[in-house]
Amino acid sequence: MGLVAGWGFVLCAFFITFDVLARSIFRVSTQSTTEITGYMLAFGLSWGLAHTLTQRSHVRIDLLVNRLPQRIRIWLHLLSLLLLGVFMAFIAQGAWDLVDESLLFNATDISLLRTPLAIPQGLWAAGMVVFLALIACMLLENLLLAILGDAKQVERNLSSRGYDEEAQEALEALGVAETKP
C-alpha cells in the first residue's frame, strides 16, 4: 500500500503538471485535475499511514520520553500506540459510515465526471482500516514482548528513529553504504 501511495503521488504530480502546461500552452484543461488528484491524495495519504508506522517515521516529539528509564519508556510507547489506535478507531468508523451513506444515497460528485463518491471514499476508508489493524497487531506484539521482558525489542519496534538510523538510510539511498538485511 505504501508503494501504491507513493506512485499515486508521483502520478498526481504528472497530472497536475500536464494540466498546468496544457492550460498555459494550448489553452485547454482537463477540468478534472482537482477532483482526481484530490481523491488520489486522500487515499494515498491513508494508504501511506501504515507503511509510515512500520518505518517508525511518524512525527513525534519525545524529548521527555527519551530521558526516562527504559522500563517507563516502553509502557509510554505502548500507551501512545493504544491512544493512536483509539483515535483511529473513531476515524475508521466515521470513514465507513461516510461510505455507507454515499452508497445509500448513490452520492456522486457534482463535477463533470460525476464520480460515485463511495469509490474514492472506500479507498480512503480501506487505508484507515488497514492502519487500525496494523496498530492493533503492533500493540499486541509489543505488549507481549513487554510482558515477556524484552524491553530492547519493544524499543526497537516503537521508539522514534535516531540520527544514526536516519543517516544510515540516507547513505543506503545514495549507494554509499551497504543495506542491512
Side-chain angles (χ1 to χ4, degrees):
M1 288 178 81
L3 282 173
V4 171
W7 282 108
F9 295 141
V10 171
L11 284 174
C12 280
F14 282 121
F15 192 43
I16 291 168
T17 302
F18 170 78
D19 199 43
V20 168
L21 291 174
R23 275 188 276 150
S24 65
I25 297 171
F26 303 113
R27 305 285 185 231
V28 296
S29 173
T30 63
Q31 299 180 357
S32 300
T33 300
T34 303
E35 178 183 1
I36 293 171
T37 56
Y39 296 147
M40 290 173 71
L41 291 173
F43 82 78
L45 174 117
S46 74
W47 283 31
L49 289 172
H51 176 73
T52 305
L53 182 62
T54 62
Q55 300 301 307
R56 298 176 14 234
S57 296
H58 283 277
V59 175
R60 294 175 50 161
I61 302 172
D62 53 7
L63 180 67
L64 179 62
V65 171
N66 288 338
R67 297 181 189 277
L68 296 173
Q70 186 182 47
R71 242 182 29 246
I72 296 170
R73 273 196 320 262
I74 64 168
W75 294 105
L76 289 175
H77 290 315
L78 289 168
L79 177 63
S80 69
L81 195 58
L82 174 66
L83 293 174
L84 178 62
V86 169
F87 175 69
M88 283 311 302
F90 284 111
I91 298 294
Q93 179 63 48
W96 280 116
D97 288 346
L98 184 64
V99 172
D100 186 46
E101 188 175 299
S102 291
L103 287 169
L104 178 67
F105 293 110
N106 287 329
T108 60
D109 197 340
I110 57 172
S111 68
L112 291 172
L113 295 178
R114 308 280 302 154
T115 305
L117 289 176
I119 295 171
Q121 290 169 351
L123 292 168
W124 171 69
M128 296 299 181
V129 170
V130 169
F131 185 42
L132 177 61
L134 176 67
I135 292 168
C137 290
M138 286 180 71
L139 186 60
L140 178 62
E141 174 192 16
N142 287 288
L143 181 61
L144 291 173
L145 285 170
I147 291 169
L148 294 173
D150 195 352
K152 287 185 180 188
Q153 186 61 45
V154 174
E155 283 271 89
R156 280 191 293 272
N157 292 346
L158 299 180
S159 67
S160 57
R161 297 181 348 167
Y163 293 112
D164 54 341
E165 291 174 282
E166 296 279 346
Q168 181 66 29
E169 180 184 14
L171 291 172
E172 289 169 6
L174 293 172
V176 177
E178 292 184 26
T179 57
K180 294 180 183 177

